[in-house]
Amino acid sequence: MPEVFAIKNIHVETSTNSAIITWITDIPSTSKVEYSPYLLFNASWEVWSDFHYWNITKTETEFVENATSVVDHRITLSNLTSSTTYYFRVQSKGSSGIATSKVLSFTTKS
């Protein structure tokens, strides 16, 4: 059975137009940050022929990734707008699959 791994200790350091996002994983894995100044997902309660369901849509996002397998991850986001809130999630792919964080946010400095 493959080793299970997790994303831990997500940290964000911001400036006026950039952010450095770091995290660690239990095993060597790739690094990816998906981000946007808009919510990454939207949900609406829908009805179709008496069937109720959540319609979840994903916002178009930017991403930065590094294919090198490491346990200490570091991604820099550049050309951001000052005083702006960004939503993001980190993702790592290792020998046992893909781990993705929940959606988090940060605000660039003014």
Coordinates of all heavy atoms in Angstrom, one line a residue, residues 31-101:
S31 N 5.0 20.7 -6.2 CA 4.5 21.9 -5.6 C 3.6 22.7 -6.6 O 4.0 22.9 -7.7 CB 5.6 22.9 -5.1 OG 6.5 22.2 -4.4
K32 N 2.4 23.1 -6.2 CA 1.5 23.8 -7.0 C 0.6 24.7 -6.2 O 0.1 24.3 -5.1 CB 0.6 22.9 -7.9 CG -0.4 23.6 -8.8 CD -1.2 22.6 -9.6 CE -2.1 23.3 -10.5 NZ -2.9 22.3 -11.3
V33 N 0.5 26.0 -6.6 CA -0.4 27.0 -5.9 C -1.3 27.5 -7.0 O -0.9 28.0 -8.1 CB 0.3 28.1 -5.3 CG1 -0.6 29.2 -4.7 CG2 1.3 27.6 -4.2
E34 N -2.6 27.3 -6.7 CA -3.7 27.8 -7.6 C -4.3 29.1 -6.9 O -4.6 29.0 -5.7 CB -4.7 26.7 -7.8 CG -5.8 27.1 -8.7 CD -6.8 25.9 -8.8 OE1 -6.8 25.0 -8.0 OE2 -7.5 25.9 -9.8
Y35 N -4.4 30.2 -7.6 CA -4.9 31.4 -6.9 C -5.7 32.3 -7.8 O -5.7 32.2 -9.0 CB -3.7 32.2 -6.4 CG -2.8 32.7 -7.4 CD1 -2.9 34.1 -7.8 CD2 -1.8 32.0 -8.1 CE1 -2.0 34.6 -8.8 CE2 -1.0 32.5 -9.1 CZ -1.1 33.8 -9.4 OH -0.3 34.3 -10.4
S36 N -6.5 33.2 -7.2 CA -7.3 34.2 -7.9 C -7.8 35.2 -6.9 O -7.9 35.0 -5.7 CB -8.6 33.4 -8.4 OG -9.5 34.4 -9.0
P37 N -8.0 36.5 -7.4 CA -8.6 37.5 -6.5 C -10.2 37.2 -6.3 O -10.8 38.0 -5.6 CB -8.4 38.8 -7.3 CG -8.3 38.4 -8.7 CD -7.7 37.0 -8.7
Y38 N -10.7 36.2 -6.9 CA -12.1 35.8 -6.8 C -12.2 34.5 -6.0 O -11.2 33.7 -6.1 CB -12.8 35.7 -8.1 CG -12.6 36.9 -9.0 CD1 -11.6 37.0 -10.0 CD2 -13.3 38.1 -8.7 CE1 -11.4 38.1 -10.7 CE2 -13.1 39.3 -9.4 CZ -12.2 39.3 -10.4 OH -11.9 40.4 -11.2
L39 N -13.3 34.2 -5.4 CA -13.5 32.9 -4.8 C -13.2 31.8 -5.8 O -13.6 31.9 -6.9 CB -14.9 32.8 -4.3 CG -15.3 33.7 -3.1 CD1 -16.8 33.6 -2.8 CD2 -14.5 33.3 -1.9
L40 N -12.5 30.7 -5.3 CA -12.2 29.7 -6.3 C -13.3 28.8 -6.7 O -13.3 28.2 -7.8 CB -11.1 28.8 -5.7 CG -9.8 29.4 -5.3 CD1 -8.8 28.4 -4.8 CD2 -9.2 30.3 -6.4
F41 N -14.4 28.7 -5.9 CA -15.6 27.9 -6.2 C -16.8 28.7 -5.8 O -16.8 29.5 -4.8 CB -15.5 26.6 -5.4 CG -14.4 25.7 -5.7 CD1 -13.2 25.8 -4.9 CD2 -14.4 24.9 -6.8 CE1 -12.1 25.0 -5.2 CE2 -13.4 24.1 -7.1 CZ -12.2 24.1 -6.3
N42 N -17.9 28.5 -6.6 CA -19.2 29.1 -6.3 C -20.2 27.9 -6.2 O -20.0 27.0 -6.9 CB -19.6 30.1 -7.3 CG -18.7 31.3 -7.3 OD1 -18.7 32.0 -6.3 ND2 -18.0 31.6 -8.4
A43 N -21.2 28.1 -5.3 CA -22.2 27.0 -5.2 C -23.6 27.6 -5.2 O -23.8 28.7 -4.6 CB -22.0 26.2 -3.9
S44 N -24.5 27.0 -5.9 CA -25.9 27.4 -5.8 C -26.8 26.1 -5.7 O -26.4 25.1 -6.2 CB -26.3 28.2 -7.1 OG -26.1 27.4 -8.2
W45 N -27.9 26.3 -4.9 CA -28.8 25.2 -4.7 C -29.7 25.2 -5.9 O -30.4 26.1 -6.2 CB -29.6 25.5 -3.4 CG -30.4 24.4 -3.0 CD1 -31.8 24.4 -2.8 CD2 -30.1 23.0 -2.6 NE1 -32.3 23.2 -2.4 CE2 -31.3 22.4 -2.2 CE3 -28.9 22.3 -2.5 CZ2 -31.3 21.0 -1.8 CZ3 -28.9 21.0 -2.1 CH2 -30.1 20.4 -1.7
E46 N -29.8 24.1 -6.6 CA -30.5 23.9 -7.9 C -31.6 22.9 -7.7 O -31.5 22.0 -6.9 CB -29.6 23.6 -9.0 CG -28.4 24.5 -9.2 CD -28.8 25.8 -9.9 OE1 -29.9 25.8 -10.6 OE2 -28.1 26.8 -9.8
V47 N -32.6 23.0 -8.6 CA -33.7 22.0 -8.7 C -33.8 21.6 -10.1 O -34.0 22.4 -11.0 CB -35.0 22.5 -8.1 CG1 -36.1 21.4 -8.3 CG2 -34.9 23.0 -6.7
W48 N -33.8 20.3 -10.4 CA -34.0 19.8 -11.7 C -35.0 18.6 -11.6 O -34.7 17.6 -11.0 CB -32.7 19.3 -12.3 CG -32.8 18.8 -13.7 CD1 -33.1 19.4 -14.9 CD2 -32.8 17.4 -14.1 NE1 -33.2 18.6 -15.9 CE2 -33.0 17.3 -15.5 CE3 -32.5 16.2 -13.4 CZ2 -33.0 16.1 -16.2 CZ3 -32.5 15.0 -14.1 CH2 -32.7 15.0 -15.5
S49 N -36.2 18.8 -12.2 CA -37.2 17.7 -12.2 C -37.4 17.1 -10.8 O -37.3 15.9 -10.6 CB -36.8 16.7 -13.2 OG -37.9 15.8 -13.3
D50 N -37.6 18.0 -9.8 CA -37.8 17.6 -8.4 C -36.6 17.0 -7.7 O -36.7 16.4 -6.6 CB -39.0 16.6 -8.2 CG -40.3 17.3 -8.5 OD1 -40.5 18.5 -8.3 OD2 -41.3 16.6 -8.9
F51 N -35.5 17.1 -8.3 CA -34.2 16.6 -7.8 C -33.4 17.8 -7.3 O -33.1 18.7 -8.1 CB -33.4 15.8 -8.8 CG -32.1 15.3 -8.3 CD1 -32.0 14.3 -7.4 CD2 -30.9 15.9 -8.8 CE1 -30.7 13.9 -6.9 CE2 -29.7 15.5 -8.3 CZ -29.6 14.5 -7.4
H52 N -33.1 17.9 -6.0 CA -32.4 19.1 -5.5 C -30.9 18.7 -5.4 O -30.5 17.6 -5.0 CB -32.9 19.4 -4.1 CG -34.3 19.8 -4.1 ND1 -34.7 21.1 -4.0 CD2 -35.5 19.1 -4.2 CE1 -36.0 21.2 -4.0 NE2 -36.5 20.0 -4.2
Y53 N -30.0 19.7 -5.8 CA -28.6 19.4 -5.8 C -27.8 20.7 -5.7 O -28.3 21.8 -6.0 CB -28.1 18.6 -7.0 CG -28.3 19.4 -8.3 CD1 -27.2 20.0 -8.9 CD2 -29.5 19.4 -9.0 CE1 -27.4 20.7 -10.0 CE2 -29.7 20.1 -10.1 CZ -28.6 20.8 -10.7 OH -28.7 21.5 -11.8
W54 N -26.5 20.6 -5.2 CA -25.6 21.7 -5.2 C -24.9 21.8 -6.6 O -24.3 20.8 -7.0 CB -24.6 21.6 -4.1 CG -25.1 22.0 -2.8 CD1 -25.4 21.1 -1.8 CD2 -25.4 23.3 -2.3 NE1 -25.8 21.8 -0.7 CE2 -25.8 23.1 -1.0 CE3 -25.3 24.5 -2.8 CZ2 -26.2 24.2 -0.2 CZ3 -25.7 25.6 -2.0 CH2 -26.1 25.4 -0.7
N55 N -25.0 22.9 -7.3 CA -24.3 23.1 -8.5 C -23.0 23.9 -8.1 O -23.1 25.1 -7.8 CB -25.1 23.9 -9.5 CG -24.4 24.1 -10.8 OD1 -23.5 23.3 -11.2 ND2 -24.9 25.1 -11.6
I56 N -21.9 23.2 -8.2 CA -20.6 23.9 -7.8 C -19.8 24.2 -9.1 O -19.6 23.3 -9.9 CB -19.8 22.9 -6.9 CG1 -20.6 22.7 -5.6 CG2 -18.5 23.5 -6.6 CD1 -20.1 21.7 -4.7
T57 N -19.4 25.4 -9.2 CA -18.6 25.8 -10.4 C -17.3 26.3 -9.9 O -17.1 26.9 -8.8 CB -19.3 26.9 -11.2 OG1 -19.6 28.1 -10.3 CG2 -20.6 26.4 -11.8
K58 N -16.3 26.1 -10.7 CA -14.9 26.5 -10.4 C -14.5 27.8 -11.1 O -14.8 27.9 -12.3 CB -13.9 25.4 -10.7 CG -12.5 25.7 -10.3 CD -11.6 24.5 -10.5 CE -10.2 24.8 -10.2 NZ -9.6 25.8 -10.9
T59 N -14.0 28.8 -10.4 CA -13.5 30.0 -11.1 C -12.2 29.7 -11.9 O -11.4 28.9 -11.5 CB -13.2 31.0 -10.0 OG1 -14.4 31.2 -9.2 CG2 -12.8 32.4 -10.5
E60 N -12.1 30.4 -13.0 CA -10.8 30.4 -13.7 C -9.7 31.0 -12.9 O -9.9 32.0 -12.3 CB -11.0 31.1 -15.0 CG -9.8 30.8 -16.0 CD -10.1 31.4 -17.4 OE1 -11.2 31.3 -17.8 OE2 -9.1 31.9 -17.9
T61 N -8.6 30.3 -12.7 CA -7.5 30.7 -11.8 C -6.2 30.7 -12.5 O -6.0 30.2 -13.6 CB -7.4 29.7 -10.7 OG1 -7.1 28.4 -11.2 CG2 -8.7 29.6 -9.8
E62 N -5.3 31.3 -11.9 CA -3.9 31.3 -12.3 C -3.2 30.2 -11.4 O -3.7 29.9 -10.4 CB -3.2 32.6 -12.0 CG -3.8 33.8 -12.7 CD -3.5 33.8 -14.2 OE1 -2.4 33.3 -14.6 OE2 -4.3 34.3 -15.0
F63 N -2.1 29.7 -11.9 CA -1.3 28.8 -11.0 C 0.2 28.8 -11.3 O 0.6 29.2 -12.4 CB -1.9 27.3 -11.1 CG -1.6 26.7 -12.5 CD1 -0.5 26.0 -12.8 CD2 -2.6 26.8 -13.5 CE1 -0.3 25.4 -14.0 CE2 -2.4 26.3 -14.7 CZ -1.2 25.6 -15.0
V64 N 0.9 28.5 -10.3 CA 2.4 28.4 -10.4 C 2.7 27.0 -9.8 O 2.2 26.6 -8.8 CB 3.1 29.5 -9.6 CG1 4.6 29.3 -9.6 CG2 2.7 30.9 -10.1
E65 N 3.6 26.3 -10.6 CA 4.0 25.0 -10.1 C 5.4 24.7 -10.3 O 6.1 25.3 -11.1 CB 3.1 23.9 -10.8 CG 3.2 23.8 -12.2 CD 2.2 22.8 -12.8 OE1 1.8 21.8 -12.1 OE2 1.7 23.0 -13.9
N66 N 5.9 23.7 -9.6 CA 7.3 23.2 -9.7 C 7.2 21.7 -9.6 O 6.7 21.1 -8.7 CB 8.1 23.8 -8.5 CG 9.6 23.4 -8.6 OD1 9.9 22.4 -9.2 ND2 10.4 24.3 -8.1
A67 N 7.8 21.0 -10.6 CA 7.7 19.6 -10.7 C 8.8 18.8 -9.9 O 8.8 17.6 -9.9 CB 7.8 19.2 -12.2
T68 N 9.7 19.6 -9.3 CA 10.7 18.9 -8.5 C 10.1 18.3 -7.2 O 9.3 19.0 -6.5 CB 11.8 20.0 -8.1 OG1 12.3 20.6 -9.3 CG2 12.9 19.3 -7.3
S69 N 10.4 17.1 -6.9 CA 9.9 16.5 -5.7 C 10.7 16.9 -4.5 O 11.9 16.6 -4.4 CB 9.9 14.9 -5.8 OG 8.9 14.5 -6.7
V70 N 10.0 17.5 -3.5 CA 10.6 18.0 -2.3 C 9.7 17.8 -1.1 O 8.5 17.5 -1.3 CB 11.0 19.5 -2.4 CG1 12.1 19.7 -3.5 CG2 9.8 20.4 -2.7
V71 N 10.1 18.0 0.1 CA 9.2 18.0 1.3 C 9.0 19.4 1.8 O 8.0 19.6 2.5 CB 9.8 17.0 2.4 CG1 9.7 15.6 2.0 CG2 11.1 17.4 2.9
D72 N 10.0 20.3 1.6 CA 9.8 21.7 1.9 C 9.5 22.5 0.6 O 10.3 22.6 -0.2 CB 11.1 22.2 2.5 CG 11.4 21.6 3.9 OD1 10.5 21.6 4.7 OD2 12.6 21.1 4.1
H73 N 8.3 23.0 0.6 CA 7.8 23.6 -0.7 C 7.8 25.1 -0.5 O 7.5 25.6 0.5 CB 6.3 23.1 -0.9 CG 6.2 21.6 -1.0 ND1 6.3 20.9 -2.2 CD2 6.1 20.7 0.0 CE1 6.2 19.6 -1.9 NE2 6.1 19.5 -0.6
R74 N 8.1 25.8 -1.7 CA 8.1 27.2 -1.7 C 7.7 27.7 -3.1 O 8.4 27.4 -4.1 CB 9.5 27.7 -1.3 CG 9.7 29.2 -1.4 CD 11.1 29.6 -1.1 NE 11.4 31.0 -1.2 CZ 11.5 31.8 -0.1 NH1 11.3 31.3 1.1 NH2 11.7 33.1 -0.3
I75 N 6.7 28.5 -3.2 CA 6.2 29.0 -4.4 C 6.0 30.5 -4.3 O 5.4 31.0 -3.3 CB 4.8 28.4 -4.9 CG1 5.0 26.9 -5.2 CG2 4.2 29.2 -6.0 CD1 5.6 26.6 -6.5
T76 N 6.5 31.3 -5.2 CA 6.4 32.7 -5.2 C 5.4 33.2 -6.3 O 5.5 32.8 -7.4 CB 7.7 33.4 -5.5 OG1 8.7 33.0 -4.5 CG2 7.6 34.9 -5.5
L77 N 4.4 34.0 -5.8 CA 3.4 34.5 -6.7 C 3.8 36.0 -7.0 O 4.0 36.7 -6.0 CB 2.0 34.5 -6.1 CG 1.5 33.1 -5.6 CD1 0.1 33.2 -5.0 CD2 1.6 32.1 -6.7
S78 N 4.0 36.4 -8.2 CA 4.4 37.7 -8.6 C 3.3 38.5 -9.3 O 2.3 37.9 -9.8 CB 5.7 37.6 -9.5 OG 6.7 36.9 -8.9
N79 N 3.6 39.7 -9.5 CA 2.7 40.6 -10.3 C 1.3 40.7 -9.7 O 0.3 40.7 -10.4 CB 2.6 40.2 -11.8 CG 4.0 40.3 -12.4 OD1 4.7 41.3 -12.2 ND2 4.3 39.3 -13.2
L80 N 1.2 40.6 -8.4 CA -0.1 40.8 -7.7 C -0.5 42.2 -7.5 O 0.4 43.1 -7.6 CB -0.1 40.1 -6.4 CG 0.3 38.6 -6.4 CD1 0.4 38.0 -4.9 CD2 -0.6 37.8 -7.2
T81 N -1.7 42.5 -7.2 CA -2.2 43.9 -7.0 C -2.1 44.2 -5.5 O -2.5 43.4 -4.7 CB -3.6 44.0 -7.5 OG1 -3.6 43.7 -8.9 CG2 -4.1 45.5 -7.4
S82 N -1.6 45.4 -5.2 CA -1.5 45.7 -3.8 C -2.9 45.9 -3.1 O -3.9 46.1 -3.8 CB -0.7 47.0 -3.6 OG -1.4 48.1 -4.2
S83 N -2.9 45.7 -1.8 CA -4.2 45.8 -1.0 C -5.3 44.9 -1.6 O -6.5 45.3 -1.5 CB -4.6 47.2 -0.9 OG -3.6 48.0 -0.4
T84 N -5.0 43.8 -2.1 CA -6.0 42.9 -2.7 C -6.0 41.5 -2.0 O -5.0 41.0 -1.7 CB -5.7 42.7 -4.2 OG1 -5.7 44.0 -4.8 CG2 -6.7 41.8 -4.8
T85 N -7.2 41.0 -1.7 CA -7.3 39.7 -1.1 C -7.3 38.7 -2.3 O -8.0 38.8 -3.3 CB -8.6 39.6 -0.3 OG1 -8.6 40.5 0.8 CG2 -8.8 38.1 0.2
Y86 N -6.5 37.6 -2.1 CA -6.4 36.5 -3.0 C -6.8 35.2 -2.3 O -6.5 35.1 -1.1 CB -5.0 36.4 -3.5 CG -4.6 37.4 -4.5 CD1 -4.1 38.7 -4.1 CD2 -4.7 37.2 -5.9 CE1 -3.7 39.7 -5.0 CE2 -4.4 38.2 -6.8 CZ -3.9 39.4 -6.3 OH -3.6 40.4 -7.3
Y87 N -7.5 34.4 -3.0 CA -7.9 33.1 -2.5 C -6.9 32.0 -3.2 O -6.6 32.2 -4.4 CB -9.3 32.8 -2.9 CG -10.2 33.8 -2.2 CD1 -10.6 35.0 -2.9 CD2 -10.7 33.6 -0.9 CE1 -11.4 35.9 -2.3 CE2 -11.5 34.6 -0.3 CZ -11.8 35.7 -1.0 OH -12.6 36.7 -0.5
F88 N -6.5 31.0 -2.4 CA -5.6 30.1 -3.0 C -5.7 28.7 -2.3 O -6.3 28.6 -1.3 CB -4.1 30.6 -2.8 CG -3.6 30.5 -1.4 CD1 -2.8 29.4 -1.0 CD2 -3.9 31.4 -0.4 CE1 -2.3 29.3 0.3 CE2 -3.4 31.3 0.8 CZ -2.6 30.2 1.2
R89 N -5.2 27.7 -3.0 CA -5.0 26.4 -2.4 C -3.7 25.8 -2.9 O -3.2 26.2 -4.0 CB -6.2 25.5 -2.7 CG -6.4 25.1 -4.1 CD -7.6 24.3 -4.3 NE -7.8 23.9 -5.7 CZ -8.6 23.0 -6.1 NH1 -9.4 22.3 -5.3 NH2 -8.7 22.7 -7.4
V90 N -3.1 25.0 -2.1 CA -1.8 24.4 -2.5 C -2.1 22.9 -2.8 O -3.0 22.3 -2.3 CB -0.7 24.5 -1.4 CG1 -0.4 26.0 -1.2 CG2 -1.0 23.8 -0.2
Q91 N -1.3 22.4 -3.7 CA -1.4 21.0 -4.1 C -0.1 20.3 -4.3 O 0.9 21.0 -4.8 CB -2.2 20.9 -5.4 CG -2.6 19.5 -5.8 CD -3.5 19.5 -7.0 OE1 -3.0 19.8 -8.1 NE2 -4.8 19.3 -6.8
S92 N 0.1 19.1 -3.8 CA 1.3 18.4 -4.0 C 1.0 17.0 -4.5 O 0.0 16.3 -4.1 CB 2.1 18.2 -2.7 OG 2.6 19.5 -2.3
K93 N 1.8 16.5 -5.5 CA 1.6 15.2 -6.1 C 2.8 14.3 -5.7 O 3.9 14.7 -6.1 CB 1.4 15.3 -7.6 CG 1.1 14.0 -8.3 CD 0.9 14.2 -9.7 CE 0.6 12.9 -10.4 NZ 0.3 13.0 -11.9
G94 N 2.6 13.2 -5.1 CA 3.7 12.3 -4.7 C 3.4 10.9 -5.2 O 2.4 10.7 -6.0
S95 N 4.2 10.0 -4.8 CA 4.1 8.6 -5.2 C 2.8 7.9 -4.8 O 2.4 6.9 -5.4 CB 5.3 7.8 -4.7 OG 5.3 7.8 -3.3
S96 N 2.1 8.4 -3.8 CA 0.9 7.8 -3.4 C -0.4 8.6 -3.7 O -1.4 8.3 -3.2 CB 1.0 7.6 -1.9 OG 1.1 8.8 -1.2
G97 N -0.2 9.6 -4.6 CA -1.4 10.4 -5.0 C -1.2 11.9 -4.9 O -0.1 12.4 -4.9
I98 N -2.3 12.6 -4.8 CA -2.3 14.0 -4.7 C -3.0 14.5 -3.4 O -4.1 14.0 -3.1 CB -3.1 14.6 -5.9 CG1 -2.5 14.2 -7.3 CG2 -3.2 16.1 -5.9 CD1 -3.3 14.5 -8.5
A99 N -2.4 15.5 -2.8 CA -2.9 16.1 -1.6 C -3.2 17.6 -1.9 O -2.4 18.2 -2.6 CB -2.0 16.0 -0.4
T100 N -4.4 18.0 -1.6 CA -4.8 19.4 -1.8 C -5.3 20.0 -0.6 O -6.1 19.4 0.2 CB -5.9 19.4 -2.9 OG1 -5.5 18.7 -4.1 CG2 -6.3 20.9 -3.3
S101 N -4.9 21.3 -0.3 CA -5.4 22.0 0.9 C -6.8 22.5 0.7 O -7.3 22.6 -0.4 CB -4.4 23.1 1.2 OG -4.6 24.2 0.3

